[in-house]
Amino acid sequence: MGKYKIQTLIYPDRRFYREVALIALPVALQGLITIGVNITDTLMIGMLGERQLSAASLATQYMNMFQSFCMGLSMGISVMASRYWGMQELISMKKTITVMFRCCLLLAAFFTLTTGFIPEQIMWMYTKEEDIIAYGVQYLEYCTYSYIFFGLSLTTTVVLRSMKKVKLSLLTSILSFLLNIAGNYVLMFGKLGFPKMGIAGAALSTLLVRMFEFVVICGYLFCGEKRLNYTVRDFFHKAGDLFPEYIRIGFPVLISDIVLALGNNVVMMIIGRIGAAFVAANAIASVVDRLCNIFIQGVSQGSAVITGNTLGQGRSEEVKQQGWAFLGIGIVLGVLSAVVLLLIKKPVILIYHLTDDTAEITQQLMYAMSLTVVFQSANHILTKGTLRGGGDTKALMVADNLFLWMVAIPLGLVTGIVGKASPFFVYVCLKMDNPIKTLWCVMRLRNGKWIKRIHTAGVQEDTAV
């Protein structure tokens, strides 16, 4: 890759792009359905009252924390799983899943015990208003039983993606969405002879949906996936020889995602201290940003799977070429997202009843998003996809968080709170880690050090990449 031409960013085999789309589209649609579930829950619980809506929103933050831990765990495991699946190293694949399940069950046990025994203290972390705490405790009562089902189905979904099996999880998400609406309607409002449960009905509906997802997703892994043939007996087999490999390859992903989530929370704290108008404008712009990023996230997960599978087949030179192609896809998606943001900024603002001040800030933020989304798209597909799939997790753990904590957050503090700069400039500064990470990713692609070797079960020497 000594010379950089536009052809470098285009993969010569069209089947590659078809393979990316076959993974990215279902993952993107699943993300869109998740947003739909959140919107529907907000609307239906909001019909009970603002206090109930506030309580449910705050109570689910604890569940979201559990979800973040499970995603970090499973995404780290998927780096190994996609490589092993490409190699058809099924013994190592089974042991990797066993390590994931055991860690997931430990996480679920912690969150189950804390939610079951100290729900008031959990709610107190988020609010001190007694009526909201009381409603939140009602909601958490049913959440206590959902962690194990949610955790196992979520982590299993990620592993199935590493095997390029994405259709089942998409279908399950669609059915879960419909079941959640029906469950909320029947249980919250006391329809079809059921008692009116209010906010507790929403939590019970969520629990039933999580149980349904567990039965379908995990049921397929244990009973329907004949090629891997993972059984309950495999869960109890020894898998300790792969745990050090998870610590080396997968654990940095978990740490990176946790620290990155903390950094994003600090960014929100900075925004919250700039002013109410900025917060409202950012809330509107963030919805648009999430919608624009859905397909980008799908491609990033697809790139991790394809990279791992291809390396597992020993085609390392091909992977290097694919890495540049994924950079090209990221740039194209970023430019398209920027164009969409510029086209829809005025219609979006008109949907909301905003003051002139908030409308002006929203417009500035969407202008800033259209500038930063190109870099955000390119580096997200590489850091969360290609480079991660190559096993470069330790370097990513440092880069992901170093640029956020050392560049974006300090610049946001100085421009937003101290300097009182324009919303456009503040937002660009808060996203300044993205262009730096993009440059870092290009340098990483050039030197080829992002492709790491991974051990298999019971093997002391490195496997071929």
Side-chain angles (χ1 to χ4, degrees):
M1 294 297 176
K3 296 181 180 179
Y4 293 96
K5 300 178 181 179
I6 192 65
Q7 288 85 354
T8 306
L9 304 179
I10 301 174
Y11 200 72
D13 191 343
R14 292 184 179 180
R15 288 176 296 180
F16 165 75
Y17 293 100
R18 182 176 180 274
E19 190 177 8
V20 173
L22 286 174
I23 300 175
L25 283 173
V27 173
L29 288 173
Q30 199 171 348
L32 188 61
I33 292 168
T34 300
I35 292 176
V37 170
N38 294 335
I39 293 173
T40 304
D41 275 348
T42 299
L43 291 173
M44 296 186 78
I45 297 174
M47 294 171 68
L48 299 173
E50 290 185 6
R51 312 299 283 180
Q52 290 92 331
L53 178 59
S54 296
S57 175
L58 294 174
T60 52
Q61 293 304 309
Y62 199 62
M63 176 67 83
N64 291 341
M65 189 187 304
F66 174 72
Q67 181 178 356
S68 296
F69 285 144
C70 286
M71 282 301 295
L73 167 68
S74 58
M75 292 305 293
I77 286 291
S78 72
V79 176
M80 301 167 63
S82 60
R83 189 80 64 93
Y84 294 144
W85 187 250
M87 298 168 62
Q88 284 300 289
E89 177 57 53
L90 300 185
I91 293 176
S92 298
M93 184 79 174
K94 288 181 178 182
K95 289 189 175 185
T96 300
I97 294 172
T98 297
V99 170
M100 179 187 73
F101 279 159
R102 290 174 181 175
C103 292
C104 180
L105 288 174
L106 287 174
L107 279 172
F110 172 80
F111 278 85
T112 298
L113 290 172
T114 52
T115 305
F117 287 103
I118 54 170
E120 292 89 355
Q121 287 81 355
I122 291 173
M123 286 302 301
W124 186 83
M125 290 192 304
Y126 301 108
T127 182
K128 295 183 180 179
E129 299 186 44
E130 292 185 3
D131 61 331
I132 294 181
I133 290 176
Y135 283 127
V137 169
Q138 292 180 40
Y139 192 89
L140 287 173
E141 179 182 354
Y142 289 98
C143 291
T144 304
Y145 308 104
S146 66
Y147 291 110
I148 184 169
F149 300 112
F150 183 38
L152 291 175
S153 63
L154 179 63
T155 52
T156 302
T157 295
V158 176
V159 166
L160 290 176
R161 284 177 187 166
S162 71
M163 300 160 64
K164 298 183 180 178
K165 299 181 184 295
V166 293
K167 293 180 180 178
L168 178 66
S169 58
L170 174 60
L171 177 61
T172 305
S173 293
I174 294 171
L175 294 175
S176 296
F177 176 50
L178 299 175
L179 288 172
N180 188 60
I181 294 174
N184 281 351
Y185 176 74
V186 171
L187 298 173
M188 286 170 58
F189 305 110
K191 305 297 182 179
L192 302 179
F194 285 87
K196 185 177 180 180
M197 297 178 65
I199 190 174
L204 178 56
S205 175
T206 300
L207 170 60
L208 294 174
V209 168
R210 298 306 182 202
M211 293 173 69
F212 166 75
E213 292 170 343
F214 167 77
V215 170
V216 176
I217 299 294
C218 293
Y220 173 78
L221 177 68
F222 284 94
C223 303
E225 176 43 56
K226 299 301 182 182
R227 189 173 181 182
L228 178 63
N229 196 30
Y230 187 87
T231 64
V232 175
R233 184 180 298 176
D234 290 310
F235 176 81
F236 296 99
H237 285 170
K238 292 182 179 180
D241 54 333
L242 270 186
F243 189 72
E245 194 65 4
Y246 168 68
I247 295 297
R248 183 177 75 89
I249 297 294
F251 193 66
V253 177
L254 175 60
I255 298 300
S256 177
D257 285 357
I258 291 173
V259 178
L260 197 60
L262 291 173
N264 289 331
N265 271 285
V266 173
V267 169
M268 289 305 300
M269 292 176 189
I270 293 172
I271 289 173
R273 281 160 176 76
I274 294 175
F278 197 110
V279 172
N282 183 72
I284 296 167
S286 294
V287 173
V288 179
D289 183 54
R290 283 198 298 272
L291 290 172
C292 287
N293 279 315
I294 283 176
F295 194 66
I296 293 170
Q297 292 170 3
V299 172
S300 71
Q301 293 198 33
S303 68
V305 172
I306 291 170
T307 300
N309 287 174
T310 308
L311 283 173
Q313 295 165 11
R315 294 146 52 196
S316 57
E317 288 303 316
E318 191 173 325
V319 162
K320 292 177 182 178
Q321 193 175 1
Q322 288 177 354
W324 291 105
F326 278 120
L327 173 61
I329 293 173
I331 293 171
V332 171
L333 289 178
V335 170
L336 290 175
S337 297
V339 172
V340 170
L341 283 167
L342 291 173
L343 290 175
I344 68 172
K345 68 180 187 303
K346 288 186 178 179
V348 166
I349 292 171
L350 291 174
I351 292 174
Y352 296 88
H353 300 287
L354 304 175
T355 63
D356 292 341
D357 186 29
T358 304
E360 172 60 27
I361 294 174
T362 304
Q363 182 165 280
Q364 287 194 42
L365 294 187
M366 293 186 72
Y367 272 126
M369 281 181 178
S370 66
L371 175 64
T372 60
V373 72
V374 178
F375 300 103
Q376 184 175 320
S377 173
N379 88 75
H380 190 88
I381 288 174
L382 292 178
T383 58
K384 305 303 180 190
T386 306
L387 300 183
R388 180 178 282 184
D392 200 23
T393 54
K394 287 184 181 178
L396 286 169
M397 178 178 65
V398 175
D400 262 344
N401 294 290
L402 180 67
F403 300 136
L404 176 64
W405 287 92
M406 300 300 292
V407 178
I409 289 176
L411 284 176
L413 281 169
V414 171
T415 57
I417 297 178
V418 179
K420 307 293 183 183
S422 68
F424 174 89
F425 192 65
V426 172
Y427 189 88
V428 169
C429 287
L430 285 170
K431 298 293 182 178
M432 190 54 69
D433 57 319
N434 286 303
I436 298 175
K437 276 199 292 187
T438 302
L439 178 61
W440 179 84
C441 287
V442 171
M443 294 171 62
R444 205 70 181 165
L445 285 176
R446 286 190 64 180
N447 62 34
K449 294 180 179 179
W450 57 280
I451 298 177
K452 305 296 183 183
R453 297 178 182 271
I454 295 181
H455 294 100
T456 54
V459 178
Q460 298 303 315
E461 59 185 34
D462 291 338
T463 62
V465 298

